[in-house]
Amino acid sequence: MTSVLICMHGKSATAMRDSAEMICGKQEKCAAVDFKMGQDLADFKAQLKKEIAELDGSPICLTDLKGGTPFNTLVTLTKDFPDLKIITGTNIPMLLQLFVYRTQFR
């Protein structure tokens, strides 16, 4: 099963995961990392690095905005995790489809 990391501004990542799990049920190999206002970038990057490592180093990463801090930070982490896949413009229907079909990847 392909792992999933949701990373967005504010509380959006956690809220989106929770909303999708209300529909699809609790998901394994899925983490949500919120980028909080005023959060130190080094701490944010360390948090992402830890979650990615726990998710086997090659999750599909879903972000809100291309060019935003969550996206840019994930891009820098591709040096350490070259198998990261980053998708921007994430919405709940997209996440639901990923949850349903991710067992078919790899």
Side-chain angles (χ1 to χ4, degrees):
M1 175 186 306
T2 300
S3 56
V4 176
L5 174 71
I6 308 161
C7 181
M8 299 180 178
H9 292 87
K11 299 176 184 175
S12 300
T14 301
M16 188 170 291
R17 181 197 58 203
D18 292 349
S19 294
E21 285 184 340
M22 285 178 68
I23 298 165
C24 285
K26 182 77 174 144
Q27 296 294 304
E28 295 178 22
K29 296 179 72 172
C30 179
V33 177
D34 297 315
F35 177 55
K36 299 167 186 82
M37 186 178 291
Q39 184 174 9
D40 180 75
L41 289 179
D43 290 342
F44 179 60
K45 187 173 185 177
Q47 184 182 6
L48 281 173
K49 208 169 186 177
K50 177 183 173 285
E51 291 292 346
I52 292 167
E54 289 178 7
L55 290 172
D56 73 23
S58 60
I60 294 178
C61 301
L62 304 173
T63 67
D64 45 6
L65 301 170
K66 183 176 182 179
T69 301
F71 172 83
N72 291 339
T73 306
L74 286 167
V75 169
T76 66
L77 289 173
T78 60
K79 293 174 187 169
D80 297 320
F81 302 99
D83 293 329
L84 281 184
K85 298 150 208 78
I86 305 169
I87 299 172
T88 63
T90 303
N91 56 51
I92 290 177
M94 180 189 297
L95 181 57
L96 291 172
Q97 284 223 317
L98 180 57
F99 283 168
V100 170
Y101 292 110
R102 68 186 177 137
T103 59
Q104 299 175 16
F105 302 146
R106 286 221 173 141

